[in-house]
Amino acid sequence: MLYIRADGNTDIGMGHVMRCLSIAEAAADLGCSPVFITADNGCLSMIEERGFRAIVLNTDYRDMLSEIPQLKKIVKQQKDMILIDSYQADDAYFDAVKEFVQTACLEDMGVPHPVCLLINYNIYAPQLADNYKELEDVLLGIQYMPLRKAFQAPCEYQIKDKITDVMITTGGSDPYFAAAAFMDAILADTFLSKQKINWHIVSGPFNRFAEELKNRYQSCKNVCIHENVKDMRELLLQTDVVLTAAGSTVYEVSSLGIPMIVFYFAENQRQGACALAELTQIVNAGCFAKNSQAVTDKAVKALHQCVAEKTYRERLYEQERQLVDGKGAQRIAKALMDRTI
């Protein structure tokens, strides 16, 4: 049996649950029926909509040690595997869990947690190999990126002569109301405001500014707010440039080859944004949480380049398409399932 311990809510967004759902679907294709375990019901409907059972502990996601007694009652066989995806899980938690079940974790920061299997699928992961050298088994690198099924299929995408549609996405939440800062700067920019561009803002399920966002731009005919997006791939394929937070979305965008500009909110996104800028010509606008004005200015400047230079967008397309192959979720699922046999 494979269990997946992950949370999603307004504070932490939905990235943990989303990537785990990709792994769960790959495991299901291998004949397994993973069971999710969550602290609260923040992402319960999302998990159930994808066809998986979820056990809600009704605990505080920030105090994971307190849930150990409940986990022991749920996970009863030592040969089972639990995949843990949470920044709140520390070594004390992993030590407690591995006493009664095999443990695996998704890790982003180079911390060698005491688990049977550690997975860091980020583009910068190979640079952290020395951090994990004492661990029993690790899976490192972008070949393990667990893309959603929709982004694993081949696609037909062409770079157009002129940009007509641009997407702004901040992930599952928007803690600093970055979407409005970007949109206000774009509308105030003389060059961009003269272009015939439709601006698409994706408002995630945990966006606490959702209503304010809609009210703010309801009179702007070329600004569209998208909520409850069911087919992100199709929406992305309609756009010419994506301005995105440096979470899992950057890998989905890369799989399609859509030119992008990235920024980030927190330290766990910084390394990915920097690595993308080092390996490609993608502009990393920086940390919005630390200097929103500088990041906004840099993003607007990058949009100028995208609008003015088709050849630049063509280079981004080629560079991005080489980053991911769409088989990461299957590789992780197989590694997890091999340990439960």
Side-chain angles (χ1 to χ4, degrees):
M1 172 64 75
L2 172 62
Y3 295 91
I4 298 176
R5 176 68 187 87
D7 295 312
N9 54 48
T10 54
D11 294 326
I12 61 175
M14 62 180 182
H16 297 285
V17 171
M18 289 300 295
R19 62 188 183 182
C20 285
L21 279 167
S22 296
I23 296 168
E25 288 178 339
D29 289 341
L30 294 175
C32 172
S33 298
V35 174
F36 280 77
I37 302 173
T38 67
D40 52 49
N41 60 6
C43 269
L44 181 61
S45 60
M46 182 184 300
I47 294 169
E48 292 179 339
E49 283 173 5
R50 298 280 279 273
F52 296 102
R53 178 187 169 214
I55 299 172
V56 179
L57 300 175
N58 293 311
T59 55
D60 185 343
Y61 77 94
R62 294 161 296 189
D63 182 15
M64 295 190 70
L65 270 177
S66 68
E67 72 187 38
I68 296 298
Q70 291 187 68
L71 278 185
K72 286 182 177 179
K73 294 178 182 178
I74 296 167
V75 184
K76 298 179 180 179
Q77 295 193 52
Q78 183 76 41
K79 69 177 183 178
D80 288 342
M81 171 68 76
I82 183 166
L83 172 62
I84 300 160
D85 185 6
S86 172
Y87 295 138
Q88 310 301 320
D90 57 15
D91 286 356
Y93 177 83
F94 287 113
D95 283 333
V97 175
K98 72 180 183 181
E99 289 296 317
F100 57 91
V101 69
Q102 295 187 90
T103 57
C105 76
L106 288 167
E107 206 283 315
D108 298 322
M109 304 297 291
V111 180
H113 293 304
V115 292
C116 300
L117 177 65
L118 182 144
I119 304 127
N120 186 335
Y121 62 75
N122 290 285
I123 195 169
Y124 56 82
Q127 301 169 18
L128 303 174
D130 284 348
N131 294 35
Y132 307 125
K133 62 185 178 182
E134 302 300 325
L135 296 183
E136 180 181 340
D137 200 2
V138 296
L139 303 178
L140 302 181
I142 200 167
Q143 66 267 35
Y144 296 103
M145 168 61 207
L147 286 175
R148 285 185 279 176
K149 271 192 173 182
F151 293 91
Q152 296 172 20
C155 78
E156 295 285 337
Y157 181 81
Q158 293 185 337
I159 301 297
K160 296 189 302 193
D161 290 336
K162 290 186 178 181
I163 288 176
T164 59
D165 295 87
V166 174
M167 177 188 290
I168 299 171
T169 175
T170 59
S173 61
D174 188 354
Y176 300 94
F177 208 13
F182 290 130
M183 198 65 253
D184 287 348
I186 288 165
L187 294 174
D189 185 84
T190 303
F191 174 73
L192 292 177
S193 62
K194 290 181 179 179
Q195 309 301 315
K196 294 181 179 179
I197 296 176
N198 298 309
W199 304 94
H200 303 267
I201 301 175
V202 176
S203 180
F206 299 129
N207 187 353
R208 65 191 69 182
F209 299 106
E211 288 305 312
E212 186 175 346
L213 197 61
K214 287 185 287 187
N215 293 334
R216 195 172 188 133
Y217 302 111
Q218 60 183 348
S219 62
C220 300
K221 293 183 179 180
N222 63 334
V223 178
C224 181
I225 312 298
H226 299 267
E227 295 183 286
N228 303 313
V229 177
K230 299 299 183 185
D231 192 344
M232 187 66 167
R233 182 179 187 270
E234 184 59 31
L235 182 58
L236 280 167
L237 287 172
Q238 297 172 27
T239 63
D240 304 302
V241 177
V242 179
L243 171 57
T244 177
S248 344
T249 301
V250 299
Y251 299 109
E252 296 179 344
V253 175
S254 291
S255 73
L256 303 174
I258 302 171
M260 78 175 108
I261 301 159
V262 301
F263 64 94
Y264 59 96
F265 291 122
E267 178 62 21
N268 64 291
Q269 296 178 328
R270 178 189 62 79
Q271 289 173 294
C274 291
L276 279 171
E278 289 172 5
L279 294 173
T280 71
Q281 291 176 278
I282 293 170
V283 170
N284 170 18
C287 182
F288 191 91
K290 289 184 177 179
N291 194 333
S292 59
Q293 188 60 58
V295 171
T296 302
D297 291 345
K298 195 169 182 178
V300 168
K301 184 178 179 181
L303 281 169
H304 279 223
Q305 184 178 10
C306 287
V307 171
E309 301 178 31
K310 180 186 178 184
T311 54
Y312 171 61
R313 289 184 282 122
E314 288 174 334
R315 289 197 300 274
L316 291 183
Y317 169 84
E318 295 296 339
Q319 293 166 0
E320 291 175 20
R321 286 296 297 267
Q322 294 176 22
L323 292 177
V324 290
D325 68 2
K327 300 177 181 177
Q330 289 89 338
R331 293 184 181 109
I332 292 174
K334 185 176 186 306
L336 292 169
M337 297 306 299
D338 284 349
R339 284 183 166 272
T340 63
I341 297 173

